[in-house]
Amino acid sequence: MQDKNAQAKALLAKAFPALKKETAYASPAESAPSGSVTTESSSVPNPNPNNGMPPKPKDPAKEARLRKVEVMKMRHQAVPVEAQYARVGATLPPVDRRRFFKARCETTTSGGETGSVVAYWVTKDVIAGKVVDRLVALLKAAPNATGYGLEVQGPSVELEGGRKLVELSKPIGEQVEDGDTVVVVCN
């Protein structure tokens, strides 16, 4: 058993040499020996000051690897957009026929107010207009809005501002890549 663990650790170290072994930071009260007094100045500093987010890598190859890992995590958390797959016991399409993305709602009337970001998946051949209708219902978008639009933001979008308007008459699989963030814009 230990031999397999050692082989697995060696393989991981070979595949991901840039990743360092992270240490767990305990609270000052937990790390202090019993009977000692701790103060705020003696606490361990936060190793990552970017609000818990890792810094964006400058190497494109490393960024691509991190994006793949993010998509793999997203596949486990994703919820189906289409109602036919949301039922318990429904037969799901294969993973290669699905598109995984994050979605959030943004209203233009309240200065770009946004809600929480949720991971979803759809089959690639679904028309984008149908996806908008379902996302509006799932995200509980502004009920008094006069219209809705769909924008994509992510590394696959290379326009100014990093956003691209989705054409509602085309399939979603042609316009959105795995791991992109889809923004439902409410007017």
Side-chain angles (χ1 to χ4, degrees):
M1 183 71 174
Q2 289 180 350
D3 185 39
K4 286 184 180 181
N5 286 340
Q7 289 175 349
K9 287 180 182 178
L11 185 61
L12 284 172
K14 180 181 174 187
F16 302 104
L19 296 179
K20 296 178 181 176
K21 188 174 183 180
E22 300 216 8
T23 59
Y25 288 93
S27 67
E30 292 174 0
S31 61
S34 61
S36 67
V37 178
T38 60
T39 62
E40 286 297 319
S41 62
S42 68
S43 65
V44 177
N46 184 0
N48 192 358
N50 299 336
N51 296 330
M53 298 298 295
K56 187 175 179 181
K58 292 182 175 40
D59 182 22
K62 185 172 182 176
E63 187 174 355
R65 279 188 298 193
L66 290 175
R67 184 168 166 87
K68 280 185 179 181
V69 170
E70 183 180 329
V71 170
M72 283 190 270
K73 289 178 183 178
M74 191 183 306
R75 285 181 179 167
H76 292 285
Q77 300 168 352
V79 177
V81 171
E82 299 165 86
Q84 66 191 23
Y85 300 121
R87 295 185 329 237
V88 175
T91 303
L92 302 178
V95 174
D96 63 339
R97 288 196 45 228
R98 302 184 210 176
R99 184 66 74 202
F100 296 87
F101 58 89
K102 294 177 184 174
R104 64 183 171 86
C105 183
E106 185 175 282
T107 58
T108 57
T109 57
S110 63
E113 179 181 316
T114 60
S116 62
V117 178
V118 182
Y120 290 104
W121 66 266
V122 296
T123 53
K124 292 180 181 179
D125 56 352
V126 174
I127 302 299
K130 184 177 178 182
V131 174
V132 170
D133 293 339
R134 286 291 297 153
L135 284 175
V136 166
L138 290 170
L139 293 171
K140 297 175 179 61
N144 55 355
T146 57
Y148 301 100
L150 199 62
E151 294 181 349
V152 178
Q153 66 185 56
S156 65
V157 180
E158 296 180 9
L159 299 174
E160 279 188 39
R163 286 190 171 189
K164 173 179 73 171
L165 193 62
V166 174
E167 293 183 39
L168 301 179
S169 61
K170 290 186 176 180
I172 195 83
E174 296 175 3
Q175 305 177 72
V176 177
E177 296 296 321
D178 283 339
D180 283 347
T181 299
V182 172
V183 181
V184 177
V185 181
C186 306
N187 297 329

